[in-house]
């Protein structure tokens, strides 16, 4: 691993340019988001540029919906590109131009092998237990041998002797014997460029200095270097980061949380800063620091801190970070994020006017007990329910005859409270407990059940305060009158 990555060959003299190059065949998954983050941070750390390239050359599998989902996920995470995104397919003519240039300068050749011939070659190699590779049958043939008007592909004339070395900033020195790399296709017989060619041409034209991507692309790098060398272009610094595995060490799958980032936002109720912090720590570390803000990450990040072994995805850690960031987050912002979730829970199109203010006021007592926005929504929904409440079983069990009596006394004690403050409410409730010779908890329990329909809620004085006097008394009276109050 090179510790001085930033000052290596291409790093210092030129402005650092990184890129994230997703293939739009699905959502922005968590591994892709981490790759984007590392590229973004690396560029920021070095005062460079972070670019986006949509690798949409696979026309059958690329969709507009996927492009939108990827941009949406990047925007949510604050990882937008510094320039408008490049769409690879639009650059096909330029890719073909480079293939033709390689042809003209003798670093590529036309290959007329038919699909049948190649299938036969593969069959022979399989039978002989040899690695399956193109054998270079058109590499040195006289062009005058070419059949007239027959389709051909353009192949790179790759070196056959020697070795190709990559000093990878994460993987270290990786060497491949050139004999193992066959003459790959650059341009197909229909004139379309291959993915391998497109990546190299685009990286060059975009001025990419550092290629930071998943280590599933390490093998590609050796082939891509062949084109770079033949064109005499400057080699980028490569940093192939280990993939993310599930908590059990197996390849990450949906079961482990290999979902689109939108699932973390929408279904799980995570904050972007928590997801970013989590992704940052997934494979990269700085001492024991767990909580690392975006600013601090820009200051500290370097690929030299990325480990070589696969990192394990741990949803519990992500939840704990999310809990931390929820506690730090602005209450009005959290109110805005949770209001639609509460409305959905209660089957309403939206919460009534003024709900945002109530929610923001409630946030200090809601957020310390929540790990996700969903849990805040769950804890907050009692505020917007209408009577009769839907009591859960445990709450119902608490509302027996003697509890109802106690609730009657509580209502009587609260009724005269003029100044509806947490302090005044607390004083009234304490008096009820004293007079009944009960501990405060014994009074609070049925009270909570009657006011929220649940046995878990923010502190009972806060509940009363947040509901307001009118609504609190209404709910207490309601319990007295409805079946909820009868023991069952
Ligand atoms: N489009 C490739 C992918 O989505 C990335 C290629 C690259 O980073 O060079 O995996």
């Amino acid at each position: 691993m090179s510790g001085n990555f930033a000052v290596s060959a291409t790093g210092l003299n030129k402005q650092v340019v990184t890129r994230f190059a997703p293939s739009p065949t699905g959502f922005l998954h968590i591994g892709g988001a981490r790759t984007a983050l590392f590229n973004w941070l690396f560029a920021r750390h070095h005062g460079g540029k972070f670019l986006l390239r949509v690798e949409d050359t696979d026309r059958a599998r690329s969709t507009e919906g996927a492009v939108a989902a990827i941009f949406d996920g990047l925007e949510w995470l604050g990882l937008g590109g510094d320039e408008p995104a490049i769409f690879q397919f639009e650059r096909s003519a330029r890719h073909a131009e480079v293939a033709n240039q390689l042809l003209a300068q003798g670093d590529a050749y036309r290959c007329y092998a038919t699909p049948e011939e190649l299938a036969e070659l593969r069959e022979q190699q399989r039978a002989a237990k040899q690695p399956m590779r193109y054998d270079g049958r058109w590499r040195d043939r006289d062009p005058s041998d070419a059949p007239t008007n027959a389709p051909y592909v353009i192949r790179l004339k790759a070196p056959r002797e020697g070795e190709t070395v990559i000093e990878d900033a994460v993987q270290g020195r990786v060497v491949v014997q050139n004999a193992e790399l066959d003459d790959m296709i650059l341009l197909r017989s229909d004139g379309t460029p291959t993915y391998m060619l497109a990546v190299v041409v685009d990286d060059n034209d975009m001025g990419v200095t550092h290629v930071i991507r998943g280590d599933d692309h390490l093998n590609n790098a050796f082939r891509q270097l062949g084109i770079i060398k033949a064109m005499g272009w400057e080699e980028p610094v490569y940093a192939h980061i280990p993939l993310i595995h599930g908590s059990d060490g197996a390849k990450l799958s949906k079961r482990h949380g290999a979902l689109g980032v939108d699932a973390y936002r929408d279904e799980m109720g995570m904050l972007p800063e928590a997801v970013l912090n989590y992704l940052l720590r997934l494979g990269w570390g700085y001492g024991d620091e767990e909580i690392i803000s975006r600013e601090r990450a820009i200051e500290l990040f370097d690929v030299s801190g990325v480990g070589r072994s696969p990192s394990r995805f741990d949803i519990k850690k992500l939840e704990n970070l999310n809990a931390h960031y929820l506690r730090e987050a602005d209450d009005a912002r959290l109110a805005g994020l949770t209001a639609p979730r509460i409305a959905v829970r209660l089957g309403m199109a939206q919460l009534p006017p003024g709900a945002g203010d109530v929610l923001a006021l409630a946030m200090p007592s809601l957020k310390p007990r929540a790990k996700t926005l969903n849990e805040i929504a769950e804890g907050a929904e009692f505020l917007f329910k209408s009577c009769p409440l839907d009591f859960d079983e445990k709450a119902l069990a608490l509302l027996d005859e003697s509890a109802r009596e106690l609730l009657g006394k509580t209502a009587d004690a609260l009724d005269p409270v003029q100044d509806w403050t947490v302090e005044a409410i607390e004083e009234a409730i304490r008096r009820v407990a004293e007079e009944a010779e009960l501990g405060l908890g014994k009074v609070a329990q049925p009270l909570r059940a009657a006011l929220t329909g649940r046995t878990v809620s923010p502190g009972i004085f806060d509940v009363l305060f947040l509901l307001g006097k009118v609504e609190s008394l209404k709910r207490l009276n309601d319990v007295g009158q409805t079946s909820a109050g009868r023991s069952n």
Side-chain angles (χ1 to χ4, degrees), residues 37 49 69 107 205 227 274 292 344-345 367:
L37 172 65
K49 267 196 304 189
D107 288 310
D205 292 1
I227 304 174
I292 304 180
V344 168
R345 293 180 71 89
K367 64 187 189 180

Side-chain angles (χ1 to χ4, degrees), residues 89-112:
F89 181 67
E90 290 173 5
R91 294 180 34 84
S92 305
R94 166 69 181 145
H95 305 146
E97 181 183 282
V98 171
N100 284 308
Q101 188 179 330
L102 287 167
L103 187 65
Q105 68 193 38
D107 288 310
Y109 59 94
R110 291 192 178 92
C111 166
Y112 294 87

Side-chain angles (χ1 to χ4, degrees), residues 38-119:
F38 284 8
N39 276 286
W40 186 91
L41 282 175
F42 188 78
R44 285 290 172 282
H45 179 82
H46 291 287
K49 267 196 304 189
F50 168 67
L51 304 179
L52 295 178
R53 181 171 74 230
V54 178
E55 302 210 313
D56 56 351
T57 48
D58 184 342
R59 302 312 283 168
R61 292 178 63 225
S62 301
T63 67
E64 271 177 36
V67 175
I70 290 169
F71 285 168
D72 181 49
L74 288 173
E75 194 188 323
W76 180 62
L77 292 169
L79 301 177
D82 294 324
E83 288 174 12
I86 300 281
F87 285 77
Q88 193 159 61
F89 181 67
E90 290 173 5
R91 294 180 34 84
S92 305
R94 166 69 181 145
H95 305 146
E97 181 183 282
V98 171
N100 284 308
Q101 188 179 330
L102 287 167
L103 187 65
Q105 68 193 38
D107 288 310
Y109 59 94
R110 291 192 178 92
C111 166
Y112 294 87
T114 63
E116 295 73 34
E117 258 181 84
L118 293 175

Side-chain angles (χ1 to χ4, degrees), residues 206-225:
M206 290 162 76
V208 172
T209 57
H210 294 77
V211 172
I212 305 169
R213 62 188 175 191
D215 66 9
D216 49 336
H217 287 285
L218 181 59
N219 286 337
N220 289 345
F222 288 93
R223 295 181 165 278
Q224 291 167 0
L225 261 181

Side-chain angles (χ1 to χ4, degrees), residues 408-472:
K409 288 181 187 158
T410 310
D412 292 344
L414 289 171
D415 201 23
V417 174
Q418 289 301 322
D419 192 11
W420 195 254
T421 61
V422 173
E423 294 73 28
I425 294 165
E426 176 167 357
E427 203 190 302
I429 303 293
R430 284 194 187 279
R431 226 177 321 115
V432 175
E434 263 166 45
E435 277 165 22
E437 295 185 358
L438 289 169
L440 193 60
K442 284 274 181 287
V443 180
Q445 269 185 327
L447 192 51
R448 170 173 287 119
L451 293 169
T452 70
R454 302 285 180 267
T455 51
V456 183
S457 79
I460 195 63
F461 310 129
D462 288 342
V463 167
L464 282 155
F465 171 72
L466 291 165
L467 284 173
K469 182 171 168 180
V470 174
E471 183 66 21
S472 296

Side-chain angles (χ1 to χ4, degrees), residues 94-411:
R94 166 69 181 145
H95 305 146
E97 181 183 282
V98 171
N100 284 308
Q101 188 179 330
L102 287 167
L103 187 65
Q105 68 193 38
D107 288 310
Y109 59 94
R110 291 192 178 92
C111 166
Y112 294 87
T114 63
E116 295 73 34
E117 258 181 84
L118 293 175
E120 199 184 306
L121 172 66
R122 273 196 298 274
E123 200 38 61
Q124 285 164 2
Q125 290 173 334
R126 187 177 305 133
K129 296 202 166 28
Q130 286 169 346
M132 280 183 260
R133 293 192 190 113
Y134 172 68
D135 60 0
R137 56 185 61 190
W138 278 92
R139 184 179 165 113
D140 298 313
R141 266 174 82 169
D142 194 321
S144 61
D145 285 353
T148 38
N149 292 331
Y152 62 86
V153 300
I154 295 182
R155 287 184 185 269
L156 182 72
K157 198 179 267 183
R160 291 185 151 173
E161 267 93 58
E163 53 189 31
T164 299
V165 180
I166 290 182
E167 299 287 352
D168 191 278
V170 172
Q171 306 290 333
R173 185 183 173 85
V174 193
V175 182
V176 164
Q177 298 306 313
N178 289 336
E180 286 173 30
L181 306 169
D182 61 3
D183 290 346
M184 66 172 162
I185 298 177
L186 301 173
L187 217 56
R188 300 186 191 90
S189 57
D190 62 1
T192 58
T194 56
Y195 166 72
M196 220 59 101
L197 173 67
V199 167
V200 171
V201 175
D202 290 349
D203 279 346
N204 177 75
D205 292 1
M206 290 162 76
V208 172
T209 57
H210 294 77
V211 172
I212 305 169
R213 62 188 175 191
D215 66 9
D216 49 336
H217 287 285
L218 181 59
N219 286 337
N220 289 345
F222 288 93
R223 295 181 165 278
Q224 291 167 0
L225 261 181
I227 304 174
I228 294 171
K229 287 183 175 170
M231 287 301 290
W233 288 338
E234 195 162 347
E235 295 176 24
V237 175
Y238 288 105
H240 287 95
I241 54 182
L243 299 183
I244 303 172
H245 282 195
S247 48
D248 53 5
K251 198 168 167 280
L252 197 66
S253 66
K254 279 201 175 163
R255 176 171 60 89
H256 298 113
L259 308 164
V261 292
D262 55 317
Y264 292 88
R265 176 188 61 198
D266 303 338
E267 279 134 57
M268 290 183 241
M270 304 284 178
L271 294 177
E273 56 266 42
V275 174
L276 276 185
N277 192 152
Y278 181 67
L279 290 177
L280 174 67
R281 292 287 291 103
L282 205 53
W284 178 86
Y286 188 81
D288 303 333
E289 282 186 46
E290 284 291 340
I291 307 286
I292 304 180
S293 69
R294 186 184 286 256
E295 290 65 37
R296 182 127 177 92
I298 291 173
E299 186 190 314
L300 298 176
F301 185 79
D302 217 329
V303 255
S304 55
V306 176
R308 276 193 219 178
S309 46
S311 25
R312 294 191 178 201
F313 190 81
D314 183 344
I315 189 87
K316 287 270 170 303
K317 277 195 184 164
L318 172 55
E319 279 176 355
N320 289 337
L321 278 171
N322 202 52
H324 166 83
Y325 283 101
L326 286 175
R327 288 195 293 274
E328 303 260 294
D330 174 71
D331 292 333
R333 173 185 171 214
L334 291 180
L337 291 171
T338 39
R341 289 169 196 268
I342 300 169
V344 168
R345 293 180 71 89
L346 296 177
M348 300 156 93
Q350 59 185 46
L351 295 184
D357 294 342
V358 176
L359 260 179
L361 204 60
M363 222 33 94
S365 43
L366 291 167
K367 64 187 189 180
R369 49 187 85 228
K371 287 199 159 101
T372 65
L373 291 170
N374 293 339
E375 287 180 14
I376 295 185
E378 189 182 350
E381 69 181 4
F382 76 89
L383 289 166
F384 307 100
K385 282 182 178 169
S386 44
C387 286
L389 297 185
D390 61 324
F391 297 90
D392 72 15
E393 255 178 62
K394 284 191 200 157
L396 263 186
L398 284 174
L399 297 172
D400 59 13
E401 196 66 33
S402 65
R404 263 203 297 158
E405 212 173 291
L406 192 60
L407 289 172
K409 288 181 187 158
T410 310

